[in-house]
Amino acid sequence: MIARRKLLTGGLAGGAGLILSGCDRVVQIPAARKILFAGEDMQRGLHRALMARNALAPEFTAAQRSPFFRPNGTRDPGTDAYRALQAGRFADWRLQVGGLVTRPLSLSLSDLGAMPQRAQITRHDCVEGWSAIAKWQGPQLGTVLRAAGLRDAARYIVFTCADLYGGEPYYESIDLIDAFHPQTILAWALNDRFLPVMNGAPVRLRVERQLGYKHAKYLMQVRAVASLDGIGKGQGGYWEDNVDYDWYAGI
Ligand SMILES: Nc1nc2c(c(=O)[nH]1)N[C@H]1C(S)=C(S)[C@@H](COP(=O)(O)O)O[C@H]1N2
Ligand SMILES: [Mo]
């Protein structure tokens, strides 16, 4: 009973909690009972929803991989800046990690390679109706975000890319549940080789519970923000802002 009341006052049903606090016989009042059980249902529903968001995407065997992982969208950013990075085999590339963090980072490819790695063979699903299975490797985004130290106000992670659409970099965003999902990685390897340019060299996001367009290629910047309001036109991504794609593209 105490625990349940604490739970209610702890935020799920703050209003009800205020009314109930200080009265131990409250469960004898039918209306209050109803509120308590509603609270439990809400708690259970929330738990189930969080479990669903944290579930792993299916993983496959090496033999199930597609013979070729076709590119989509930008196949080569082609800008002078990107060509210069490419010419140096990305030795001068740095991933800027900033926004609402306590320790902004500037990470090289070898910095990312020195972190604990995750490898996974997953299926990519593009909204245009094709899928492909491949092995991806890189550090978990969570590892990078923990190193940078998210501030309390951070709610979303925004990715800015090297390729331009109408003169502006491609961008995407995810919430913190996806950002800290174990299969969300900053991939620098595809099928045990450095990423080809067409697939997002030197580093692309893999966010395996989401459709293809969320997997930002050619990463340049990772930023923690409190709101998507100031990003592009406010819908959280290039396709979300300019076509009618959903921001939440969970699969
Ligand atoms: N920077 C950037 N990221 C991007 C895109 C893009 O055009 N630019 N296309 C998206 C889409 S729609 C898909 S399906 C995947 C394709 O990844 P692939 O080129 O490795 O197949 O990348 C996504 N990430
Ligand atoms: Mo896509």
Side-chain angles (χ1 to χ4, degrees):
M1 188 53 226
I2 302 272
R4 188 184 287 163
R5 269 175 51 209
K6 269 201 184 134
L7 189 73
L8 283 169
T9 48
L12 269 181
L18 275 182
I19 297 162
L20 299 180
S21 60
C23 178
D24 282 332
R25 280 160 296 175
V26 74
V27 278
Q28 291 163 17
I29 307 165
R33 262 194 113 85
K34 223 174 184 176
I35 294 168
L36 284 172
F37 285 119
E40 275 204 342
D41 280 353
M42 221 191 298
Q43 165 77 355
R44 216 174 286 136
L46 194 62
H47 186 243
R48 202 176 291 137
L50 284 172
M51 292 292 285
R53 292 287 315 275
N54 285 319
L56 295 180
E59 294 194 16
F60 299 83
T61 66
Q64 290 172 304
R65 287 177 299 174
S66 308
F68 174 65
F69 197 94
R70 60 162 280 190
N72 200 39
T74 304
R75 284 138 213 257
D76 182 348
T79 63
D80 290 346
Y82 186 82
R83 281 197 200 294
L85 291 172
Q86 202 184 340
R89 308 182 83 205
F90 300 105
D92 295 329
W93 173 88
R94 294 290 181 278
L95 182 67
Q96 306 299 334
V97 182
L100 295 172
V101 300
T102 53
R103 294 173 294 274
L105 305 172
S106 176
L107 300 171
S108 67
L109 210 42
S110 45
D111 290 334
L112 292 177
M115 292 176 172
Q117 302 288 297
R118 180 179 170 99
Q120 57 205 25
I121 301 177
T122 52
R123 192 187 64 226
H124 179 101
D125 296 305
C126 173
V127 73
E128 291 169 28
W130 59 273
S131 298
I133 296 174
K135 178 180 178 185
W136 303 96
Q137 185 192 314
Q140 290 175 319
L141 176 59
T143 302
V144 171
L145 295 178
R146 273 187 286 271
L150 287 190
R151 294 188 185 277
D152 288 345
R155 291 290 178 277
Y156 303 95
I157 306 299
V158 177
F159 305 89
T160 311
C161 307
D163 57 324
L164 308 178
Y165 274 71
E168 299 295 324
Y170 189 91
Y171 53 100
E172 255 305 341
S173 61
I174 58 177
D175 65 18
L176 296 186
I177 297 178
D178 271 324
F180 286 96
H181 187 285
Q183 290 169 316
T184 298
I185 65 174
L186 298 178
W188 54 267
L190 164 57
N191 290 330
D192 301 311
R193 292 161 189 260
F194 285 112
L195 289 193
V197 166
M198 64 181 177
N199 301 112
V203 173
R204 62 112 40 96
L205 178 68
R206 292 301 308 172
V207 49
E208 305 293 355
R209 299 294 313 280
Q210 300 275 333
L211 287 173
Y213 58 88
K214 305 295 288 187
H215 301 230
K217 305 194 282 187
Y218 316 111
L219 290 181
M220 296 303 290
Q221 211 185 76
V222 173
R223 206 155 28 112
V225 298
S227 151
L228 300 175
D229 287 347
I231 314 300
K233 298 176 190 163
Q235 301 306 306
Y238 175 78
W239 295 111
E240 291 90 324
D241 275 339
N242 296 291
V243 190
D244 60 348
Y245 288 9
D246 289 330
W247 175 79
Y248 185 73
I251 43 179

